[in-house]
Amino acid sequence: SPTTMTLDYLPTLELSGDLFARKFDDAVEPLIKDYIDKRREKEEERLKREKEFMKDMEAENKTESLPLEEWEFQGEGVLIVAKETVGDKEPLCLGMEKDNNKVLLRPCFRKEVPPTLSPNWETGAVIIEETISYNRWDIGPCSSDGDLKRNETGELEMIPGEYSVTGPKCMLKIGDGARAGRCLDVDSERNQPGGLMHIYPCVTKWHQLFSFGNGTIAPRGAIHASLPLHIVRQLENKKK
């Protein structure tokens, strides 16, 4: 039988983009259908704002794009930089190896670039000509519970939602190369810390949805995945 849906599974349902007919049990999770209704209300409000914006643009004969969300980055994607290496001679970024799907830390820039970096370079835009291939990422789509805001250092600050203490969950997609558009993925659905990461076609499951730390559950600036409740319960039952 299908998994009984709990609140921690809502981001997966939301980001799938599919119609869903799943197993809901009011005794197990009495609030999930209420939050689905709230999510639909937020989506309808967003669509209404976008429609009004486009109507205003037409009236003024303008062709501006829709305004970015606070967590969105305009331009050529983002670099996910290891914070402890920002001031090093060779900063390291999350990237993919050229000949396989493994994701690891590798130099952010071409060899000639680091000596020319200005102070606070990490807050600026990505310049394709300066970066090494397979280092650029696109963030999103993200689930709607909670909020993400960029601070002055370029980090994403997570604000918890009504039901999600880890805030929005986002897909991270590689931005260039033959595998552009594929998703960061927890290798083999590892359920213990220390698992390897790789790039895989996007399937919108928990092991491809990532949250950003705010110093509570995860360190500030960290990127992490969270186990669904039904898997946590399975692991606990195995220990008994």
Side-chain angles (χ1 to χ4, degrees):
S1 63
T3 301
T4 299
M5 292 291 98
T6 49
L7 285 175
D8 61 310
Y9 236 98
L10 270 185
T12 303
L13 296 179
E14 178 180 347
L15 295 176
S16 69
D18 297 326
L19 300 174
F20 57 88
R22 300 305 303 254
K23 183 179 177 181
F24 296 99
D25 188 331
D26 290 342
V28 174
E29 186 60 87
L31 297 177
I32 187 167
K33 288 185 284 188
D34 292 336
Y35 280 116
I36 289 175
D37 288 339
K38 287 184 179 182
R39 187 261 170 184
R40 290 179 61 188
E41 289 176 6
K42 289 178 67 174
E43 184 67 11
E44 288 171 1
E45 290 173 1
R46 182 185 66 81
L47 292 173
K48 183 179 178 180
R49 289 196 306 269
E50 291 180 356
K51 186 177 180 179
E52 290 174 351
F53 176 85
M54 297 306 296
K55 185 178 179 180
D56 291 341
M57 291 300 101
E58 286 183 19
E60 297 176 16
N61 200 24
K62 295 181 179 180
T63 57
E64 294 182 22
S65 300
L66 292 169
L68 296 174
E69 300 289 346
E70 291 195 67
W71 53 268
E72 289 185 303
F73 294 78
Q74 192 170 31
E76 305 296 342
V78 301
L79 298 178
I80 300 177
V81 187
K83 188 191 304 188
E84 63 272 19
T85 72
V86 166
D88 290 355
K89 292 182 179 179
E90 190 173 59
L92 299 179
C93 286
L94 195 68
M96 186 183 72
E97 291 189 339
K98 182 177 180 180
D99 298 323
N100 58 56
N101 293 323
K102 290 182 180 178
V103 172
L104 68 168
L105 290 177
R106 53 203 302 267
C108 299
F109 302 103
R110 300 181 187 278
K111 289 183 179 180
E112 66 275 12
V113 172
T116 70
L117 293 173
S118 60
N120 301 319
W121 63 266
E122 68 276 10
T123 65
V126 173
I127 301 174
I128 292 181
E129 292 77 13
E130 294 183 348
T131 62
I132 294 176
S133 297
Y134 307 104
N135 277 2
R136 291 187 299 113
W137 298 86
D138 293 315
I139 300 177
C142 299
S143 59
S144 58
D145 191 49
D147 205 358
L148 292 172
K149 295 183 178 180
R150 285 184 293 156
N151 62 25
E152 64 278 1
T153 68
E155 291 179 306
L156 286 179
E157 292 188 355
M158 182 275 289
I159 301 170
E162 292 186 61
Y163 65 85
S164 177
V165 295
T166 58
K169 290 180 170 56
C170 302
M171 304 176 81
L172 303 177
K173 300 179 182 180
I174 195 71
D176 57 11
R179 300 174 184 84
R182 292 192 177 189
C183 283
L184 184 65
D185 186 280
V186 178
D187 191 17
S188 300
E189 300 190 29
R190 287 288 298 268
N191 52 37
Q192 298 295 329
L196 298 176
M197 311 295 286
H198 66 177
I199 293 297
Y200 196 78
C202 300
V203 294
T204 321
K205 292 186 178 181
W206 72 264
H207 47 90
Q208 290 185 351
L209 301 180
F210 295 88
S211 302
F212 297 84
N214 68 348
T216 54
I217 292 178
R220 185 176 298 277
I223 298 174
H224 64 97
S226 300
L227 289 175
L229 183 58
H230 74 278
I231 293 181
V232 174
R233 287 171 174 165
Q234 288 174 6
L235 295 173
E236 292 174 345
N237 289 335
K238 287 181 180 179
K239 294 178 182 178
K240 293 180 180 179

